[in-house]
Amino acid sequence: MSELLESHTSGNAHVDELVRKGYEHGFVTDIETEVLPPGLNEGVIRAISARKQEPAWLTDWRLSAYRHWLTMAPPEWARLEIAPIDFQAISYFAAPKKNLPKSLDEVDPKLLETFDKLGVPLHERARLAGVAVDAVFDSVSVGTTFKKELNAAGVIFCSFSEAVREHPELIQKYLGSVVPAGDNYFAALNSAVFSDGSFVFVPKGVRCPMELSTYFRINARDTGQFERTLIVVEDAGHVSYLEGCTAPMRDENQLHAAVVELVALEDAQIKYSTVQNWYPGDEDGKGGIYNFVTKRGDCRGARSKISWTQVETGSAITWKYPSCVLRGDDSVGEFYSVALTNHRQQADTGTKMIHLGARTKSKIISKGISAGRGQNTYRGLVKVEKSAVGARNFTQCDSLLIGKRCGAHTFPYIEVKQPSAIVEHEATTSKISDDQLFYCLSRGIDEENAVSMIVDGFCKQVFKELPMEFAVEAKKLLEVSLEGAIG
Amino acid sequence: MLEIENLHVSVAGKAILKGLSLAIRPGEVHAIMGPNGAGKSTLGHVLAGREGYDVTQGSVRYLGEDLLSLAPEERAAKGVFLAFQYPVEIPGVNNTYFLRTALNAQRKARGENELDAMQFLKLTREKLKVLSISDELLHRAVNEGFSGGEKKRNEIFQMAVLEPRLAILDETDSGLDIDALKTVAEGVNRLRSPERGFLVITHYQRLLDYIVPDVVHVLADGRIVESGDKSLALTLEEHGYAWIKERKPGAAA
């Protein structure tokens, strides 16, 4: 610990040395990775900030978040069983060791190979699909494509670190403006130690010419990953952002606590789609990612719109409530979710729709699928403040049970302070019935395909909100995730 | 093509079929009539391979094979089709997609080429024309929100597309008004062919006015107690099922 504190004062060379010591912890891929030794204290935070050559205000911001975090306790209200997390056993920084490449040609071929195995459309497929990819390997971005075309449109899409260097005024203006540093336990932790992530800025009147996609992957052992994503869309701008994740097999639990902030100004539209498939642990619940995410969008301007679509099939534990603050009059918030839990997976997920502006509208479509011994909870808040004259909400919350040992739970919270508001809530719970299965079998469709077809049908309302290539991926993901769920 | 010999079936330990024998040759239409609880639907489900029906004795041979050793989807691929008494709803799954998946699964199992979307569309158009079914049904989810008549018509449509060798119709007439009944019967009649066998399970004689059977069997208490030509259905209609009870089981064997 004292070594680390010194490292801050003695500069980067010493940090590098400390970082090199980290090798004794061993690595999974052959790529040399720089890792800070496990542990969390102000020295580590200063080291991260120094390593990334951040301005003093950002170091201070991290430190105040850390100090706040120390006063907080992990949330216990979720319907989750979480083994205590030893935050001192986690290493808070990992980066590919070599100098950051300026183009894909400079990217370590081994890394590209890994991406290939994961099916990440980094070069050819990305080009074919017209998707710009800002690939995050561990904690630092290593390659960005389509920069030029985006530049021409005036869109900024880069790693968070780069944004701190190149666009500090934007970061300073918007960072923490949607999710304050001390918002909740995990957001505070992220604010203190976030490593990297993505930054998107769409200026006034610009429609982003392509869908933006970032693939995250957790690779280094025992390295908690703390991404920070910030998307700002100015007046009448549009952007669609896709986030997809996979992770290889791992025995240790890995902590993941991301923060995503979206800001939509007047008439702006943001569509944020996630396919999350981190390692869920084995059939007995051993291993798997702990996924504690704070995602929030601020419809700051009138007539703005933020739409969240998520397909959550991975992680041992998912704690995630992508929310919308509907501040601008006539602004619109949407949440479409498919959450699947199999084996011993647990998910407590939903959304918050906070209606502040007049005639604000929100729509929630949640589909929970439980199989094996999975536990799936929908938790959603619809809050209509007095100012939200004529606000409307529609919530539909459906659960599908596969087998007899899983659970589905629904906790809708509704707070309405404006009498003209209309809030509707519908909920159903159903099982894949023997009748449905036999009907498919008797037509020649085998059991595995029958189940995946029935589940796909159940999720249709959400899948149709996903961009095309994601919808295909999501369907496959559900098939894979449900393997062995029946029989 | 179908030879059922001394079939005994239990459901949850309770004997339902108690020595049923029956033989259908290609091109024949056999009707099974009988009172409620006689085991009519059990017969349909056993032949299609539903779980929970324990065959305790007897055998079923289909095209020279032991039918009972095949999984339900294998039976389907080999041409066994059950039109359900209560067709099942599958929300969110497009009716056309469902049927194409089924047809291609069967074709694949038989080593035939799978049909692409265009070929399949062409096929469904042809079948729809023949069956006078609105193509609006194709765009909806499988049986979801269908009326009783629409569900039954959809079963017949599936049968027309899948072109089974042995079609089992489980009380397809129940809950149909006379117009729907005629449409369904017409659909079945158009599918009659020298290669195809039908087993029509019904409670009422009415359906047999439109689908004229070659053989009528009366099923009571798990056994076939009487077999005859189409006139047997009329006799039964006239006297009611009480008439059967007075007759000794096995008289028809």
Side-chain angles (χ1 to χ4, degrees), chain A residues 435-436 439 443 453 460, chain B residues 50 82 89 92 106 155 158:
Chain A
D435 285 342
Q436 284 175 327
Y439 193 63
R443 296 297 179 259
M453 183 185 273
K460 181 140 282 175
Chain B
R50 178 147 201 172
L82 172 66
E89 299 188 6
Q106 293 193 14
E155 295 291 287
Q158 290 183 9

Side-chain angles (χ1 to χ4, degrees), chain B residues 81-84 156 159 167-172 184 188 198-202 207 211:
Chain B
F81 179 88
L82 172 66
F84 280 51
I156 301 305
M159 181 168 81
I168 304 155
L169 276 59
D170 187 6
E171 304 212 17
T172 298
V184 164
V188 172
F198 283 88
L199 185 60
V200 179
I201 297 167
T202 181
L207 178 67
I211 304 172

Side-chain angles (χ1 to χ4, degrees), chain A residues 141-156:
Chain A
S141 299
V142 291
T144 304
T145 51
F146 291 95
K147 269 250 153 87
K148 274 187 190 163
E149 197 178 340
L150 291 173
N151 275 344
V155 174
I156 301 169

